[in-house]
Amino acid sequence: MLELRNVSKRFTGVIAVDQVSFTARAGEVTGYLGPNGSGKSTTMKMITGLLDLTSGEILFEGARIQNDLIAYKRRMGYVPEEPHLYSHLTGLEYLVMIGQLRNMPGKPTADRIDGLLRLFSLHGDRHSPISAYSKGMRQKILLSAALLHNPDLILLDEPFSGLDVASALVMRSLIQELAARGKVVLFSSHELETVERVCSHVVILHRGKLVADDSIESLRTLMALPKLEDIFSQLAVDTDPAAVSREIADLIRA
């Protein structure tokens, strides 16, 4: 179980995340939603240990992650929103390097890498430099690296970015399969239809503050709204999309 307790992050006087508390449980997919600038990626970076907290605490299985950050990171897999890869390496070389950095055993790791490259349809390009990969191929390399050590906690920040339809369907099914096998999965995305299909629980952030933390079904009932998109629009969108779209259309016609 991953638990955030009154977590805040301040940058030079600006509060990016403000007293956020929620729990992501093993065996379910927790969706983490919010508009751009709401504090989602900042929260993700604090959960990974890449950013220090200004206040509050983050616990994994009841222990503060800062008590032993290295041990915690051994159990975590992270797909960041922006793919930072060593583009001069081939896909195979990059995954081998990740296995070595994690001190994983040679032959079993090589077999696992080979399997991941095949299942993600990258095997034919394993000797090509990552600089030649499409955005979707890079995303699959990131996911392979995040899953290589069989982590207990999986953090996915916009994991569908650049994926084609077939790969997105595999990703959607994989997220659910990992949760069904007892992983803690925290999934941040702007694709609300995908979140609605994949997640059983959602946390919604708006301007750094928590505005919802419940199951999708409970939110539908509570707010008397049929779709997650409608719930999100009411809780976390300040503008009227239809009004803005009419203004844009009028402007370009004028």
Side-chain angles (χ1 to χ4, degrees), residues 54-90:
T54 301
S55 61
E57 57 182 359
I58 299 174
L59 300 92
F60 184 61
E61 295 188 348
R64 293 179 71 251
I65 65 171
Q66 295 297 335
N67 289 350
D68 192 344
L69 198 55
I70 293 175
Y72 165 71
K73 288 184 176 182
R74 289 194 183 108
R75 303 181 63 188
M76 177 188 71
Y78 174 45
V79 176
E81 182 176 13
E82 294 295 332
H84 297 292
L85 296 163
Y86 295 105
S87 58
H88 62 283
L89 296 177
T90 68

Side-chain angles (χ1 to χ4, degrees), residues 60-242:
F60 184 61
E61 295 188 348
R64 293 179 71 251
I65 65 171
Q66 295 297 335
N67 289 350
D68 192 344
L69 198 55
I70 293 175
Y72 165 71
K73 288 184 176 182
R74 289 194 183 108
R75 303 181 63 188
M76 177 188 71
Y78 174 45
V79 176
E81 182 176 13
E82 294 295 332
H84 297 292
L85 296 163
Y86 295 105
S87 58
H88 62 283
L89 296 177
T90 68
L92 176 61
E93 288 170 341
Y94 182 82
L95 293 177
V96 168
M97 179 190 72
I98 295 297
Q100 291 172 342
L101 288 172
R102 289 194 173 276
N103 200 29
M104 296 174 65
K107 181 61 167 64
T109 304
D111 291 341
R112 187 174 294 179
I113 289 170
D114 189 73
L116 286 167
L117 289 169
R118 290 182 186 280
L119 290 167
F120 281 121
S121 302
L122 293 170
H123 198 263
D125 298 289
R126 66 193 185 280
H127 296 305
S128 299
I130 292 173
S131 59
Y133 284 13
S134 68
K135 185 175 182 180
M137 293 167 71
R138 293 180 184 213
Q139 197 70 6
K140 288 189 276 189
I141 287 291
L142 278 174
L143 183 63
S144 298
L147 298 179
L148 187 60
H149 58 298
N150 189 29
D152 298 310
L153 169 63
I154 301 167
L155 306 171
L156 305 171
D157 197 353
E158 299 293 345
F160 289 85
S161 179
L163 296 182
D164 57 34
V165 174
S167 298
L169 289 172
V170 171
M171 172 70 84
R172 183 190 296 174
S173 181
L174 176 60
I175 290 170
Q176 293 173 307
E177 181 68 28
L178 291 168
R181 297 192 181 199
K183 310 292 187 185
V184 178
V185 183
L186 184 63
F187 167 39
S188 176
S189 177
H190 289 102
E191 298 184 21
L192 296 182
E193 183 180 349
T194 299
V195 172
E196 192 159 19
R197 289 175 179 270
V198 168
C199 300
S200 51
H201 189 99
V202 292
V203 175
I204 301 178
L205 211 63
H206 183 47
R207 296 185 178 178
K209 291 182 177 290
L210 195 74
V211 294
D213 178 9
D214 211 334
S215 70
I216 293 177
E217 285 303 319
S218 294
L219 287 171
R220 285 191 187 121
T221 302
L222 180 66
M223 302 187 67
L225 293 169
K227 296 168 63 179
L228 179 60
E229 181 178 333
D230 300 326
I231 295 167
F232 182 83
S233 294
Q234 186 160 320
L235 291 174
V237 177
D238 294 325
T239 57
D240 179 351

